[in-house]
Amino acid sequence: GVTQSPTHLIKTRGQQVTLRCSSQSGHNTVSWYQQALGQGPQFIFQYYREEENGRGNFPPRFSGLQFPNDSSELNVNALELDDSALYLCASSPRSSDTGELFFGEGSRLTVL
Amino acid sequence: DQQVKQNSPSLSVQEGRISILNCDYTNSMFDYFLWYKKYPAEGPTFLISISSIKDKNEDGRFTVFLNKSAKHLSLHIVPSQPGDSAVYFCAASKAAGNKLTFGGGTRVLVKP
């Protein structure tokens, strides 16, 4: 399945954070979502073959990477209090009959 | 602009009865509609999806109905079981594997 690390972390405002994700075997598309408390997940960006393939309404201080082994990173610079959220990674094959994305358990970030 | 809306934040139902969850969308370009279930401290788990060329899809106890003219979909769970107690999200995408736009979720409580 999709694995994410770390599961929980605490940072202070202004710091930088890197979250990691390993996609499900055979999946070459990875996307990241932010889920604030009490809300649905919001799309941050998607990567396919190491290239950004779509971006949501997030500022440039949110950046990502996808590696040749289809693992991925989400980097957030200059952390703000509102960045406190559950960050979800999802992977999918390039084509799918169901449109399903496979989600990891998430990394919960708290910014103090 | 919230393109996918779940207007009922919570739903309580007796075990064995039907749970009906509703979702409305505004973007006519959406082509796939999905339902995810989420337990606390876990990532979203895919339940069922439907493409825009269909109006109904069944999988065991779960049935999704799509009314394109009304831009409305619903999820029926019959019979409801205590293990179904979770938060349910509807989501939509413009193509299979593309970014998902989520609703805000409906918390379901199934009482024994």
Side-chain angles (χ1 to χ4, degrees):
Chain A
V2 178
T3 58
Q4 293 185 240
S5 63
T7 55
H8 294 82
L9 69 166
I10 299 173
K11 292 284 188 177
T12 56
R13 197 169 46 183
Q15 285 188 312
Q16 178 265 343
V17 68
T18 297
L19 307 178
R20 294 179 174 84
C21 172
S22 290
S23 301
Q24 185 157 320
S25 178
H27 289 181
N28 51 20
T29 300
V30 65
S31 49
W32 287 88
Y33 291 78
Q34 180 197 66
Q35 186 181 14
L37 202 61
Q39 297 180 22
Q42 288 209 330
F43 174 73
I44 304 176
F45 42 57
Q46 184 179 73
Y47 280 81
Y48 172 66
R49 291 187 176 176
E50 303 169 52
E51 297 283 333
E52 189 178 286
N53 187 35
R55 188 178 182 92
N57 190 24
F58 282 82
R61 59 189 185 83
F62 285 77
S63 63
L65 286 171
Q66 184 185 26
F67 300 101
N69 63 358
D70 294 327
S71 63
S72 174
E73 285 182 359
L74 165 64
N75 298 287
V76 187
N77 294 322
L79 284 167
E80 300 177 359
L81 298 179
D82 283 349
D83 296 334
S84 295
L86 180 68
Y87 289 86
L88 294 162
C89 171
S91 72
S92 60
R94 188 56 177 166
S95 64
S96 163
D97 289 341
T98 65
E100 177 185 359
L101 302 188
F102 295 77
F103 283 87
E105 295 193 351
S107 294
R108 182 161 297 283
L109 171 65
T110 301
V111 182
L112 302 176
Chain B
D1 174 28
Q2 204 173 350
Q3 298 186 60
V4 179
K5 280 188 182 178
Q6 295 175 254
N7 290 318
S8 298
S10 64
L11 171 70
S12 181
V13 65
Q14 208 65 36
E15 181 180 4
R17 305 296 289 267
I18 184 171
S19 294
I20 300 176
L21 290 79
N22 294 302
C23 180
D24 296 299
Y25 63 96
T26 57
N27 192 333
S28 57
M29 298 296 291
F30 287 140
D31 207 28
Y32 278 83
F33 303 89
L34 300 85
W35 286 93
Y36 279 84
K37 172 179 171 180
K38 189 177 184 302
Y39 294 118
E42 293 185 14
T45 303
F46 173 76
L47 278 175
I48 192 169
S49 67
I50 189 168
S51 75
S52 60
I53 62 172
K54 295 185 175 180
D55 55 18
K56 178 182 173 182
N57 189 26
E58 276 183 275
D59 185 2
R61 296 186 298 116
F62 302 94
T63 303
V64 57
F65 296 92
L66 175 63
N67 183 335
K68 282 175 56 181
S69 60
K71 293 191 176 66
H72 177 83
L73 64 153
S74 61
L75 174 69
H76 292 204
I77 307 173
V78 182
S80 300
Q81 299 173 354
D84 295 332
S85 297
V87 178
Y88 289 76
F89 292 98
C90 71
S93 69
K94 294 179 183 177
N98 247 19
K99 73 165 192 174
L100 294 177
T101 301
F102 283 86
T106 297
R107 183 176 300 277
V108 173
L109 175 63
V110 180
K111 298 178 182 177

